[in-house]
Amino acid sequence: MPTTYPVAPVSSVAILAAALELQRTHGTEFAARFLEPYQFDPEVVKALLYPDHP
């Protein structure tokens, strides 16, 4: 019988912080692809990953 473990929910802040770290280490496009499954508002993603663009 396989052992199962409870999974703690991950906050949006933690996901966005991880995306910023991925952007720093792997580039903006990689970070953007990482965020896709979470379906954040596109304006939030744009402001986070492309802060110099209007």
Side-chain angles (χ1 to χ4, degrees), residues 1-2 5 11-13 18-19 22-23 25 27 38 44:
M1 175 179 230
Y5 300 96
S11 75
S12 295
V13 173
L22 287 171
Q23 181 183 32
T25 58
Y38 297 104
V44 171

Side-chain angles (χ1 to χ4, degrees), residues 23 28-29 42-54:
Q23 181 183 32
T28 300
E29 294 306 315
E43 292 301 313
V44 171
V45 174
K46 183 177 166 185
L48 180 75
L49 298 178
Y50 307 98
D52 295 333
H53 294 282

